[in-house]
Amino acid sequence: MTPTVFLSYSHEDRRAYPGGKRRDIVDEIIFPLKALEKLRKLNLFVDRQIPPGVDWELHITQQLTKSRAAIVVVTDSYLSSDYCRKRELP
């Protein structure tokens, strides 16, 4: 079974980089991991994959429970987020 890796980050860090670059910090992390997904070495869960209309909190909890590993993007915004600290870190 291919392990699921959960990406935890603050949405505040999704702003575009200065200088007009279109990719944000999340894109920069996801990009190299896509190759591992194509090789079926991991399944990467990012909350962008949650379909509209789905109970997103329940979906995130389910994904956290089934994940074998997590990548936590720790920034000032992340540590300032009550949701990230209380729901995704423990």
Side-chain angles (χ1 to χ4, degrees):
M1 176 182 256
T2 306
T4 297
V5 177
F6 186 95
L7 179 61
S8 179
Y9 66 96
S10 168
H11 281 228
E12 289 294 316
D13 293 319
R14 290 191 60 204
R15 292 179 292 238
Y17 289 122
K21 288 187 181 179
R22 302 191 120 228
R23 293 188 353 198
D24 60 32
I25 193 169
V26 176
D27 292 327
E28 294 294 329
I29 293 166
I30 291 172
F31 184 72
L33 297 174
K34 288 294 183 186
L36 293 173
E37 272 194 309
K38 287 180 183 177
L39 294 171
R40 300 183 192 273
K41 299 293 184 186
L42 63 82
N43 291 317
L44 181 64
F45 175 77
V46 182
D47 64 358
R48 296 176 184 178
Q49 301 163 337
I50 300 172
V54 170
D55 180 341
W56 62 270
E57 284 189 282
L58 176 61
H59 195 76
I60 286 174
T61 299
Q62 290 169 338
Q63 292 298 319
L64 273 168
T65 301
K66 80 176 203 176
S67 294
R68 300 232 343 245
I71 298 171
V72 181
V73 182
V74 180
T75 62
D76 290 341
S77 298
Y78 189 91
L79 295 174
S80 297
S81 167
D82 286 340
Y83 185 85
C84 292
R85 282 185 293 106
K86 293 178 182 175
R87 300 289 299 231
E88 294 186 7
L89 271 182

